[in-house]
Amino acid sequence: MKKIAILQSNYIPWKGYFDMIAAVDEFILYDDMQYTRRDWRNRNQIKTPQGVQWLTIPVQVKGKYHQTIRETEIDGADWAQAHWKALAQNYRRAPHFAAVAAWLEPLYLAQPQQYLSPLNRRFIEAVCAYLGISTVISDSSDYTLIDGKSERLADLCRQAGGTHYLSGPAARDYIDDAVFADAGIDLAWFDYAGYPEYPQLGGAFVHGVTILDLLFNCGKEAPRYMRYVRS
């Protein structure tokens, strides 16, 4: 049995994203999909005393947004220092800030990336390493892509040797269950409900912020507040 999940890369995504990675044997970054504006591809939220704040990576958007995520270029390098400054200002009093900053700050100060996808992957893999997630991460460009939304996903699973496909709940609107059944692949839906609250700085609790909020506040105890990550 081999479980597969396929999602677009996000910038420092929330805890549910990493739980999905941990729940499967191979996680395919689906960055051959069209880039979408005002989405999670190049931005995410942090918690501040004034409420949530967006951290957004500026990107170059060409034409009428027909470019793929993989083709999307980052616009400049000044954003990195600004994002790190915002993280340090808002989380420096968190119990595990120093320990997480030791490996996170160098990622922000590293050689700038030209494209969004490898930058997202840099952060995703670093968080996985910190949490001890050993799932294989691959790119959709590593495989042959066929036409059809459901057909392509099922065929990616087949090429990866998958027997089970774990999908996010939003895909219920377009996935054709019959395509997976015909391919002999079991289809299951990931459930993001039921996460417990954890000690969080300032104000009402917010679940949907970047996983960095959980790591700064809970450190290596973060898996206690997740569903598939094991400490």
Side-chain angles (χ1 to χ4, degrees), residues 6-11 17 28-37 39-43 57 59-62 65-74 114-121 124 139-141 145 152:
I6 305 170
L7 283 180
Q8 298 98 317
S9 69
N10 290 354
Y11 173 52
Y17 190 101
I28 300 175
L29 293 167
Y30 199 18
D31 284 353
D32 288 280
M33 291 289 286
Q34 181 178 328
Y35 170 78
T36 49
R37 292 186 68 197
D39 211 336
W40 301 103
R41 309 293 86 80
N42 67 315
R43 65 178 190 166
I57 300 173
V59 297
Q60 299 177 26
V61 181
K62 302 168 185 176
Y65 316 114
H66 293 310
Q67 69 203 49
T68 65
I69 303 165
R70 189 158 58 90
E71 294 170 332
T72 301
E73 294 185 63
I74 297 171
Q114 180 180 357
Y115 289 93
L116 179 64
S117 290
L119 178 81
N120 284 346
R121 181 163 179 163
I124 289 168
D139 294 316
S140 55
S141 58
L145 303 178
R152 178 180 288 187

Side-chain angles (χ1 to χ4, degrees), residues 21-130:
I21 296 177
V24 298
D25 302 297
E26 182 174 349
F27 185 82
I28 300 175
L29 293 167
Y30 199 18
D31 284 353
D32 288 280
M33 291 289 286
Q34 181 178 328
Y35 170 78
T36 49
R37 292 186 68 197
R38 298 185 179 90
D39 211 336
W40 301 103
R41 309 293 86 80
N42 67 315
R43 65 178 190 166
N44 221 302
Q45 294 179 327
I46 62 172
K47 183 96 178 290
T48 80
Q50 292 76 39
V52 295
Q53 173 185 329
W54 286 101
L55 297 183
T56 302
I57 300 173
V59 297
Q60 299 177 26
V61 181
K62 302 168 185 176
K64 294 185 178 180
Y65 316 114
H66 293 310
Q67 69 203 49
T68 65
I69 303 165
R70 189 158 58 90
E71 294 170 332
T72 301
E73 294 185 63
I74 297 171
D75 190 7
D78 292 344
W79 67 270
Q81 285 195 339
H83 285 201
W84 177 249
K85 182 179 179 180
L87 288 166
Q89 285 178 339
N90 288 287
Y91 289 104
R92 64 180 181 272
R93 293 186 177 85
H96 301 275
F97 175 78
V100 174
W103 57 263
L104 182 62
E105 184 178 11
L107 299 183
Y108 279 98
L109 303 182
Q111 183 71 21
Q113 290 276 4
Q114 180 180 357
Y115 289 93
L116 179 64
S117 290
L119 178 81
N120 284 346
R121 181 163 179 163
R122 174 196 288 177
F123 284 100
I124 289 168
E125 289 182 335
V127 172
C128 284
Y130 181 79

